[in-house]
Amino acid sequence: MACLDRRDLGLLVLRVGTGAVLAAHGTQKLAGWFGGGGIEGTTAAMEAMGFHPPKHSAVAAGLGEAGGGVLLALGLATPAAGAAAAGAMAGAVAVHAPAGFFAQGGGYEYPAFLGFTAAAIGLTGPGRYSVDQVTRHAFNRPWMVALAFAGSAVAAAAVVGRRARGRVAVDPDTT
């Protein structure tokens, strides 16, 4: 048996911790767990924040967070998991950006941290203690990294851009 590699152990701790936080955050949106609003409450919130269509946006945000979080924690399809979670957090950053950086003032500090952490794990890889390792990296190929992050970036830009255009159309004085 190979000795423990502290880098792989560190990636395991980072993956599981980050994945658990993201999964919990996403299940608030999808199922109403942990005091969340569930899909109905999240849909209403998405509509109030200017995301259209609001129900699709609620489901996408919840799946990006919960699904990406579970996959990150497992170390399965790590590039796609990191990209999905980072993309979902990009939408959250856009919502919180007008309040500045720090979370205590309603800023984007927390979603930015989660997004950067998920992206870093997706780019770095899951480490030896992961389902990707057990499956011989069937869902963790170099080309998947580029494809997952490009797809996530395009999707996040489209959603955030659509929201921004909709907000300007509603209130043209917010430019």
Side-chain angles (χ1 to χ4, degrees), residues 7 54 62 72 80 90 115 124 130 148 165:
R7 284 181 215 104
L72 278 176
T124 301
S130 65
R165 286 189 303 278

Side-chain angles (χ1 to χ4, degrees), residues 1-134:
M1 179 173 201
C3 68
L4 288 176
D5 182 314
R6 69 180 199 202
R7 284 181 215 104
D8 289 318
L9 192 57
L11 278 170
L12 173 65
V13 170
L14 184 62
R15 270 194 1 259
V16 170
T18 303
V21 169
L22 284 162
H25 203 64
T27 58
Q28 287 181 308
K29 290 176 176 60
L30 294 174
W33 294 357
F34 311 112
I39 202 67
E40 294 81 20
T42 305
T43 297
M46 290 290 187
E47 187 167 31
M49 289 183 277
F51 286 97
H52 293 286
K55 187 166 188 175
H56 291 129
S57 298
V59 170
L63 288 176
E65 293 170 7
V70 167
L71 291 173
L72 278 176
L74 293 172
L76 176 60
T78 306
M89 291 296 99
V93 166
V95 168
H96 292 277
F101 178 72
F102 291 103
Q104 78 185 60
Y108 62 92
E109 172 185 19
Y110 179 66
F113 179 77
L114 285 175
F116 283 127
T117 303
I121 295 167
L123 291 169
T124 301
R128 193 179 336 170
Y129 311 122
S130 65
V131 176
D132 276 337
Q133 178 73 21
V134 172

